[in-house]
Amino acid sequence: MQVKVVLNEDEMPRQWYNLAPDLPTPVPPPLGPDGKPISPDMLAPVFPMNLIEQEVSQERWIDIPEEVLALLYRWRPTPLHRAYALEKFLGTPAKIYYKNESVSPPGSHKPNTAVVQAWYNKQFGIEKLTTETGAGQWGSALSFAGALVGLEIKVYMVRISFDQKPFRKIMMETWGGKCIPSPSPYTKTGRKILEEQPDTPGSLGIAISEAIEEAVTDPSGKTRYSLGSVLNHVMLHQTIIGLEVKKQLEKIGEKKVDVVIGCAGGGSNFAGLAFPFMYDKINGAEIDIIPVEPASCPTMTRAPYVYDFGDTAEMTPLLPMHSLGHAFIPPPIHAGGLRYHGIAPLVSGAINDGLATPKALHQLECYEAAVTFARTEGIIVAPETSHAVAAAIQEAKKAKEEGKEKVILFNLSGHGLMDLTGYQKYFEGELQDYALPDEEMQKFLKVLDGLPKP
């Protein structure tokens, strides 16, 4: 009985996988305010050119620098677990595997790109990074990365999460990051929002606007912005997850995966696990690939495929993606990392090409699944990860009904030890399900009127 599959450091992937050149339908380019494709130079005030090159690359494989591998070795490779206890509890013939990204110092998959982005910025001569964070996972990861490479980090945290998760702020401060609630009085964007909506819970779109504004208005030119999801180079860095899994499954003679699952807010942890398996699917493998989102923020399952801004103040380029509209203010569910209005262009493209089949779940089912997982496998997962757990349990029950010995794989994107308030509210019956009403969604989609179409 092998519960964990572990790789040696010298078995770690030496390259990242870029899905962009393999998508059957190429993703349309980002557009500027004039509706014309942007050039790499236009991104230079926001990102360093070495990351912009990755963002626009059409190379299938991109080498991981040795110095970056040395940073990743602090927690990678991460273990692949067989969920024997969960399988037994469910009475399923399916084998359930999960990639345990919760073992990183900040407790999630986010450092896989945070340390990479920090390193590339440092190489480019940048001294400070600004960013946003929802649940606090990304802000914690970038603060950790800043401590490793020697960068100043400033994090705009969505206000509702800032209030719900005080220990995340302390984590960031411990690694030297500065964390403030968004919207804030420190930016033009923040002041405008607070004037119009003084009691707003905030949103990732607003926090992104504030972080970008601070980066591009620094007269020294030594500040850049860092994003934890959505963009191509972020998806790229996360593919180390799925590439490790492939080696781990090969190590134990597991030849075929039937179902691949990841929760999706902006799309990075889902992409990190799933994109290497999409490569197989594009080349003929039969795999069900399922990104899972909250029913309260149904970006992939109900939102149109459009060109939209990545932030509320319209400071980012227009991106081709499934979007609820950049003015969307999501309900304050506890899965803060899944409350983004859009989904990564590459993930959107994969959905449009039929490579991924999204699913939306309610939070009560997700918390029930998380508690089941904790009482069988022992790990208390983040509210975001609970969506992947719930979908995996659904698939395992389906395999039982069909009498099929499927192999189910999901990404355990982070632990929930900083999110216990949500569990407390679940146990006390204070949480409720919420499906975004059609009329509410249509109201938010009005901001797309007049924007170009993909």
Side-chain angles (χ1 to χ4, degrees), residues 142-393:
L142 197 63
S143 297
F144 162 70
L148 292 192
V149 306
L151 287 178
E152 182 184 344
I153 306 294
K154 187 170 181 182
V155 182
Y156 288 88
M157 187 171 185
V158 176
R159 174 171 289 280
I160 185 67
S161 291
F162 183 91
D163 294 338
Q164 287 174 344
K165 306 176 193 298
F167 290 112
R168 281 285 172 197
K169 177 189 174 190
I170 297 170
M171 284 179 74
M172 294 178 222
E173 290 175 343
T174 302
W175 281 310
K178 183 178 181 182
C179 176
I180 58 173
S182 170
S184 78
Y186 307 115
T187 66
K188 183 179 175 182
T189 300
R191 289 190 293 272
K192 183 174 185 291
I193 300 279
L194 287 172
E195 188 178 322
E196 296 170 353
Q197 307 170 57
D199 297 324
T200 178
S203 72
L204 278 169
I206 295 170
I208 291 170
S209 295
E210 292 205 86
I212 292 177
E213 181 183 325
E214 178 169 343
V216 301
T217 56
D218 177 9
S220 75
K222 295 292 186 181
T223 300
R224 290 294 184 277
Y225 167 70
S226 179
L227 187 63
S229 194
V230 180
L231 297 177
N232 295 357
H233 66 272
V234 183
M235 309 291 122
L236 176 78
H237 303 154
Q238 291 293 355
T239 59
I240 196 166
I241 300 171
L243 294 170
E244 283 185 6
V245 170
K246 283 189 164 186
K247 290 193 173 192
Q248 287 164 317
L249 291 172
E250 185 182 344
K251 210 168 187 179
I252 55 172
E254 200 70 79
K255 291 184 171 57
K256 186 179 186 309
V257 175
D258 297 290
V259 185
V260 175
I261 299 168
C263 63
S268 69
N269 100 84
F270 164 74
L273 177 68
F275 279 8
F277 289 93
M278 281 187 192
Y279 176 80
D280 297 339
K281 187 165 183 172
I282 289 166
N283 287 285
E286 291 185 13
I287 311 173
D288 290 329
I289 299 177
I290 306 171
V292 192
E293 66 185 1
S296 60
C297 192
T299 309
M300 299 180 291
T301 52
R302 290 172 56 199
Y305 182 60
V306 295
Y307 264 113
D308 193 14
F309 295 98
D311 71 313
T312 304
E314 305 181 357
M315 297 182 73
T316 69
L318 286 161
L319 300 173
M321 59 185 179
H322 288 275
S323 176
L324 292 162
H326 57 273
F328 179 67
I329 303 291
I333 61 164
H334 277 270
L338 304 186
R339 294 198 297 237
Y340 186 55
H341 67 272
I343 194 78
L346 283 175
V347 175
S348 294
I351 292 169
N352 296 344
D353 280 338
L355 296 171
T357 307
K359 177 179 285 192
L361 298 179
H362 285 291
Q363 68 174 348
L364 292 182
E365 179 182 359
C366 295
Y367 270 105
E368 180 186 1
V371 171
T372 296
F373 192 77
R375 292 176 183 176
T376 52
E377 294 298 311
I379 300 174
I380 299 173
V381 300
E384 293 79 15
T385 296
S386 72
H387 291 68
V389 175
I393 288 175

